[in-house]
Amino acid sequence: MAEEMLIRISAFLGVLGLMAFGEVLIPRRHLTTSKARRWVANLSIVVIDAAAVRLLFTAGAVGASMLAAERHWGVLNHLSWPNWLELVLAVVALDLVLYLQHVMFHAVPLLWRVHMMHHADLDCDVTTGLRFHPVEVVLSMLIKVSAIAVLGPSPQAVLSFEVLLNATAMFNHSNVRLPATMDRCLRWIVVTPDMHRIHHSILPRETNTNFGFNLPWWDRLLGTYRLQPNDGHERMTLGLTQFRDPARLTLTGMLLLPFTGRPGDYPLSHDR
Ligand SMILES: [Zn+2]
Ligand SMILES: [Zn+2]
């Protein structure tokens, strides 16, 4: 347990520090609002999310995989394939579940209300990758625990997936400029900042693309991939049309957003 926490915290702080440094050194876009205010709000959300998950899911997703192994739940707990193969399969399968969950949070108006807090950020940087409403984080955990019960991955596979996801979410939300060739090559194996930024576009037809957080394949295979934003990365507007006032996006404002904010034209099911 202590070792698990150490792995999580060192990976989190390491990637956060690295990307934050990269954003200062080689920024991709000029920030449009106060970085200090956004960072205070976004990092406060991280603390609230962590507390909510600890409180409701004491043993977390790793604990769920241990329980599944003990009770012989899940496909992988009935197979004796090599550990490395089960780990790769579990990471890929959990990533597909996450992609489908993300599409669902855009498609269902009620879920979009919860997810829109992530999209309401007026700039996109490393902390945006950590900014999810506590209700979304709790629902995500319920989906993940259910997927673990069906799949039966090892605790190592679940920990690897969670650490990897946390790291890639910070990487692909970061405001770091990568050389075009590097971006093109990386896009075959991981979602890059230029790929995910399109998902934060103010234009609904761009917001509803590039749903992947970790592996870029699902968007390409399932028809939601977009190569570049219409207005280019430097000129495109980020955020949502209905939330343009930074003064409303305080910590309290963000937590209240699903209940007080208008969902706008974003849900996929909205008539246009
Ligand atoms: Zn989204
Ligand atoms: Zn995002």
Side-chain angles (χ1 to χ4, degrees):
M1 197 67 163
E3 196 189 349
E4 182 195 327
M5 201 50 85
L6 187 71
I7 295 173
R8 284 181 195 274
I9 292 177
S10 23
F12 169 73
L13 293 177
V15 178
L16 178 67
L18 189 72
M19 297 329 297
F21 182 61
E23 288 178 346
V24 176
L25 210 67
I26 37 165
R28 180 66 157 121
R29 290 167 50 91
H30 290 293
L31 298 180
T32 58
T33 55
S34 157
K35 186 172 179 171
R37 276 174 72 163
R38 286 183 48 257
W39 273 52
V40 167
N42 291 358
L43 293 176
S44 304
I45 288 283
V46 177
V47 177
I48 296 170
D49 287 349
V53 167
R54 262 297 132 208
L55 205 70
L56 296 171
F57 304 86
T58 329
V62 170
S65 69
M66 287 172 175
L67 184 70
E70 203 182 289
R71 306 266 170 98
H72 301 287
W73 291 343
V75 183
L76 294 175
N77 282 323
H78 289 271
L79 300 170
S80 31
W81 288 353
N83 285 346
W84 69 265
L85 181 62
E86 288 202 3
L87 190 140
V88 172
L89 277 177
V91 169
V92 173
L94 288 174
D95 197 67
L96 174 61
V97 170
L98 191 81
Y99 165 89
L100 295 171
Q101 174 195 316
H102 192 182
V103 173
M104 187 173 78
F105 270 81
H106 277 246
V108 179
L110 207 59
L111 294 176
W112 166 251
R113 279 187 165 273
V114 177
H115 182 58
M116 69 185 181
M117 195 204 84
H118 177 67
H119 283 270
D121 208 347
L122 295 166
D123 287 310
C124 193
D125 70 11
V126 60
T127 63
T128 314
L130 305 164
R131 168 196 163 118
F132 293 93
H133 197 279
V135 175
E136 176 167 1
V137 171
V138 169
L139 289 174
S140 296
M141 269 303 273
L142 283 172
I143 294 169
K144 190 157 47 182
V145 166
S146 312
I148 288 169
V150 173
L151 188 67
S154 66
Q156 291 81 356
V158 174
L159 180 63
S160 308
F161 174 72
E162 290 196 308
V163 171
L164 188 72
L165 182 70
N166 192 239
T168 50
M170 286 190 277
F171 166 68
N172 63 43
H173 284 88
S174 69
N175 185 34
V176 167
R177 177 185 298 273
L178 297 179
T181 328
M182 193 187 201
D183 176 76
R184 206 165 43 243
C185 296
L186 277 177
R187 271 194 202 204
W188 287 103
I189 49 166
V190 70
V191 174
T192 64
D194 274 9
M195 181 173 163
H196 190 72
R197 193 175 301 106
I198 303 168
H199 185 72
H200 282 264
S201 164
I202 198 168
L203 306 171
R205 67 174 182 279
E206 293 186 346
T207 314
N208 289 322
T209 63
N210 297 2
F211 292 95
F213 272 110
N214 190 7
L215 299 173
W217 313 326
W218 315 121
D219 282 299
R220 291 177 189 259
L221 283 170
L222 302 172
T224 51
Y225 179 64
R226 191 177 176 103
L227 186 62
Q228 297 297 343
N230 220 17
D231 298 333
H233 286 281
E234 270 98 5
R235 287 193 302 115
M236 71 185 287
T237 307
L238 304 179
L240 301 174
T241 358
Q242 67 271 37
F243 308 118
R244 303 312 301 167
D245 179 8
R248 266 197 74 189
L249 297 172
T250 56
L251 178 62
T252 320
M254 280 159 60
L255 289 170
L256 289 174
L257 217 62
F259 315 103
T260 57
R262 284 181 300 109
D265 285 343
Y266 291 87
L268 289 173
S269 53
H270 193 274
D271 280 340
R272 271 189 282 275

